[in-house]
């Protein structure tokens, strides 16, 4: 997962020409960070997600202007927030990149979900053993 994040981070730096971005995936109501660089955090953008109906818009937050892109897919929604500049790639180019890497992001999501389930089962087993003693 670290290698995927590194790959996404370097490619997103090139495309957005920004040192400040946040790349998220959403499956149902669960949101996971795939890549992040700079000052943007999930807490900064979470209040914006419920009202985000367009695929692209410019958002002001904490006296900073950044671009927000949403790419809806069959099983997930990809969110990219990045600081706006004159050198940013077009929305079409960035969306094409996100679509191109959708299989990778979906795989990371599946691995994360599987790992989370394993951790929960392990935790529950340990708790039950303590109670039985």
């Amino acid at each position: 997962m670290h290698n995927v994040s590194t790959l996404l981070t370097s490619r997103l730096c090139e495309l957005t020409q920004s040192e400040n971005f946040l790349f998220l995936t959403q499956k149902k109501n669960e949101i996971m960070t795939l890549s992040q660089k700079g000052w943007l955090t999930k807490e900064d953008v979470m209040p914006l997600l419920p009202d985000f109906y367009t695929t692209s818009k410019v958002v002001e937050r904490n006296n900073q202007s950044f671009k927000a892109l949403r790419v809806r897919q069959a099983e997930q929604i990809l969110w990219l927030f990045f600081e706006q500049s004159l050198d940013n790639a077009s929305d079409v180019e960035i969306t094409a990149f996100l679509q191109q890497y959708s299989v990778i992001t979906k795989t990371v999501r599946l691995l994360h979900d599987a790992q989370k389930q394993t951790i929960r089962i392990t935790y529950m087993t340990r708790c039950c053993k303590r109670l039985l003693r």
Side-chain angles (χ1 to χ4, degrees):
M1 285 170 56
H2 176 71
N3 291 339
V4 170
S5 181
T6 303
L7 172 70
L8 290 171
T9 300
S10 65
R11 188 67 180 115
L12 287 170
C13 277
E14 291 173 22
L15 278 173
T16 63
Q17 293 295 308
S18 174
E19 292 296 314
N20 299 304
F21 63 83
L22 177 65
F23 183 37
L24 306 170
T25 178
Q26 179 181 2
K27 184 178 178 183
K28 296 183 183 173
N29 289 328
E30 190 175 325
I31 297 173
M32 182 178 114
T33 302
L34 292 170
S35 181
Q36 177 180 359
K37 188 171 184 183
W39 56 267
L40 276 172
T41 65
K42 199 165 27 171
E43 290 75 28
D44 289 329
V45 300
M46 288 300 288
L48 306 172
L49 298 185
D51 299 328
F52 198 103
Y53 297 110
T54 62
T55 57
S56 172
K57 72 179 181 179
V58 177
V59 179
E60 290 285 331
R61 186 94 171 142
N62 299 332
N63 297 323
Q64 298 282 348
S65 175
F66 59 93
K67 185 110 180 211
L69 292 175
R70 182 192 71 182
V71 178
R72 182 177 292 277
Q73 298 177 325
E75 295 140 2
Q76 65 182 350
I77 299 173
L78 300 175
W79 300 91
L80 177 61
F81 300 88
F82 58 94
E83 192 173 23
Q84 236 185 341
S85 75
L86 297 174
D87 298 329
N88 295 134
S90 71
D91 289 359
V92 173
E93 291 174 293
I94 295 173
T95 301
F97 164 77
L98 297 178
Q99 293 285 9
Q100 179 184 6
Y101 281 80
S102 66
V103 173
I104 292 173
T105 59
K106 194 182 314 177
T107 303
V108 167
R109 184 65 191 224
L110 289 170
L111 289 171
H112 173 75
D113 290 347
Q115 182 182 18
K116 188 172 58 176
Q117 183 68 11
T118 303
I119 290 169
R120 196 180 89 206
I121 289 170
T122 304
Y123 175 75
M124 294 299 288
T125 303
R126 287 181 184 165
C127 289
C128 290
K129 284 181 180 178
R130 278 190 228 142
L131 291 173
L132 293 174
R133 287 183 193 170

